[in-house]
Amino acid sequence: MTVWAASVEPEPSAIVSLFWIAAAAVAAPLLSRLLRGLIPDVVLLLGLGVVLGPHVLAFAGTGGGVELLSELGLGMLFLLAGYELDPKLLGGKPGRTAWLTWLAGLVLALLLVWLAASDAGFTALIAVAIALSSTALGTLLPIVKQDGVLEQPLGRAVLAHGAVGELGPVLAMSILLTGHNLLASVVVLVLFGAAAAVVAWVPQRILDRHPGAERLIATLATGTTQLPVRLVFLLLLILMTVAEVFELDVVLGAFAAGLILRRLMAETHPEIQDSLETIGYGVLIPIFFVASGMGIDPAAVAAEPLMWVLFVVAIGVARGSTVWLSERFVPHGANLEHPHERVQLALYAATGLPIIVAVTQVAVRGELMTATMASTLVAAGATTVLLFPLLATWVRGRAGEATPEHDARR
């Protein structure tokens, strides 16, 4: 993806840059462990990217192929997000409620942005609004698992709102940030959907009509061949290419690849997820986050601290408050009963980063957003990943302390 802040100094070579990126990728989880998980790995990756990038030490850059690897990392991140997404979460009354809640959050975010900058163009306003109304489900899942709530009603609510909070912004980006008018964007999205359906149908047809194909894949799944992994990589690039041909963001193609992959291989080849996570989280996704951090100008963020704080508050209001209100006042058959759980859900849902990074890069590339605003918005997204899950854990702890006291009085 295009980096929004270019350095005036010559960039280091790709090998040198990758060395520093690899060092950051190793250091981030170790530092997170030393800090007892208080600062998530992804925030440290971004922070190390800022330090290593052209605005601070200038040890690394995105030239010479690093940018391509970063884009593949973005693709793997959203492929895994699509793979982990259970389509059942998007349907039923809870799913419909989650969709309406996200739309309400998008409208509220648009209103807040318009009040702050009414002279900006609609496309620029909608770009910021999309970023403010997203949920980082892929980033959030490890945190929710660590907090031990994934199998609880709260965890299922997080999954439902998180799924919509990722898919909704991806679709909105594809419709509203392509440079086409609304009708043309919808037509292009429908054409992309038809192309993705064909891409999904062909391998499914082959597997259904030729049982030997399944056995061949199983035979070549290990050793030096690793055919399923190669097929997944091909599927990812096919759909990213289709998205680019239709002038859509490659994020949509990657997300669609994950959805198709889940349908084709989740049951017959469950081990593929381990291989994909090894490649994605072990190599490509850290490159994406460190390279994204290199695009953040800390001086620009420090020069506008109020904008940074306002963005964090706006994310909490636009995404968190609408989720809380929906869970509290809109019955859908699976509402959370306890007030502290609704607060936790709102804080988790307002945790956003990957979509924010993707939206800002698309917006800067289309000259819809300044480099300063992009840096500040990404910094605000990183702050939500750092702050909101911590607050959710604190709320749960306070509720746990209050319950025994209440029981004792009874």
Side-chain angles (χ1 to χ4, degrees):
M1 305 292 288
T2 302
V3 175
W4 52 73
S7 173
V8 296
E9 298 292 332
E11 283 193 348
S13 69
I15 292 297
V16 171
S17 294
L18 286 173
F19 160 71
W20 286 110
I21 290 172
V26 171
L30 297 177
L31 288 172
S32 181
R33 183 66 179 268
L34 285 174
L35 297 170
R36 299 182 179 181
L38 293 177
I39 302 181
D41 169 71
V42 64
V43 175
L44 289 169
L45 287 171
L46 276 172
L48 290 171
V50 173
V51 173
L52 294 173
H55 298 291
V56 183
L57 297 178
F59 285 176
T62 58
V66 176
E67 185 178 2
L68 175 60
L69 290 174
S70 174
E71 188 146 352
L72 288 174
L74 176 66
M76 282 299 298
L77 179 67
F78 281 93
L79 180 142
L80 287 168
Y83 184 85
E84 292 170 348
L85 176 61
D86 185 354
K88 294 177 182 178
L89 295 172
L90 303 176
K93 197 168 183 180
R96 291 193 296 271
T97 302
W99 276 109
L100 291 173
T101 302
W102 175 76
L103 286 171
L106 179 63
V107 172
L108 178 57
L110 184 59
L111 177 62
L112 292 173
V113 177
W114 179 78
L115 290 174
S118 58
D119 57 335
F122 175 78
T123 309
L125 296 177
I126 198 67
V128 179
I130 291 170
L132 296 180
S133 61
S134 65
T135 298
L137 181 60
T139 304
L140 196 57
L141 275 177
I143 299 172
V144 176
K145 288 178 182 177
Q146 183 178 336
D147 286 350
V149 300
L150 191 59
E151 302 303 324
Q152 300 173 9
L154 173 59
R156 291 191 288 273
V158 170
L159 288 175
H161 285 283
V164 173
E166 274 199 330
L167 181 56
V170 168
L171 293 174
M173 286 170 60
S174 302
I175 294 173
L176 301 172
L177 302 184
T178 59
H180 304 298
N181 62 53
L182 183 59
L183 178 59
S185 297
V186 171
V187 170
V188 169
L189 189 61
V190 170
L191 291 174
F192 171 82
V198 172
V199 172
W201 177 81
V202 170
Q204 186 67 64
R205 183 74 169 175
I206 292 172
L207 292 174
D208 291 342
R209 292 178 64 94
H210 303 282
E214 182 69 45
R215 291 193 296 271
L216 179 63
I217 292 173
T219 302
L220 300 177
T222 58
T224 59
T225 309
Q226 298 292 330
L227 183 59
V229 176
R230 298 187 189 190
L231 288 171
V232 169
F233 192 62
L234 176 61
L235 174 65
L236 172 62
L237 288 177
I238 287 173
L239 284 164
M240 289 176 73
T241 301
V242 171
E244 188 163 294
V245 168
F246 282 108
E247 297 183 357
L248 300 169
D249 195 80
V250 295
V251 165
L252 180 62
F255 204 92
L259 293 172
I260 293 171
L261 180 63
R262 179 185 179 93
R263 179 181 177 87
L264 291 177
M265 291 189 169
E267 294 184 3
T268 56
H269 295 279
E271 71 282 354
I272 193 68
Q273 184 171 2
D274 292 334
S275 299
L276 294 178
E277 289 180 347
T278 299
I279 297 169
Y281 293 120
V283 181
L284 293 174
I285 293 173
I287 293 175
F288 164 67
F289 279 116
V290 176
S292 297
M294 293 179 192
I296 299 175
D297 184 355
V301 177
E304 297 283 354
L306 182 59
M307 184 188 295
W308 181 9
V309 173
L310 288 177
F311 273 143
V312 175
V313 173
I315 292 170
V317 171
R319 186 67 177 135
S321 69
T322 51
V323 169
W324 183 88
L325 289 169
S326 169
E327 199 64 25
R328 175 66 178 83
F329 296 108
V330 181
H332 54 72
N335 295 75
L336 297 174
E337 297 180 2
H338 303 292
H340 69 88
E341 289 183 326
R342 292 193 287 269
V343 173
Q344 285 178 268
L345 174 61
L347 289 167
Y348 284 132
T351 300
L353 184 59
I355 290 286
I356 293 176
V357 174
V359 169
T360 53
Q361 291 184 357
V362 170
V364 170
R365 187 171 56 195
E367 299 182 352
L368 302 174
M369 186 181 296
T370 65
T372 297
M373 180 176 288
S375 293
T376 307
L377 192 49
V378 172
T383 303
T384 66
V385 175
L386 174 63
L387 182 62
F388 290 169
L390 276 178
L391 289 175
T393 303
W394 179 79
V395 168
R396 185 184 60 168
R398 292 284 295 177
E401 292 173 4
T403 301
E405 295 177 3
H406 178 72
D407 292 342
R409 293 192 194 102
R410 291 179 64 187

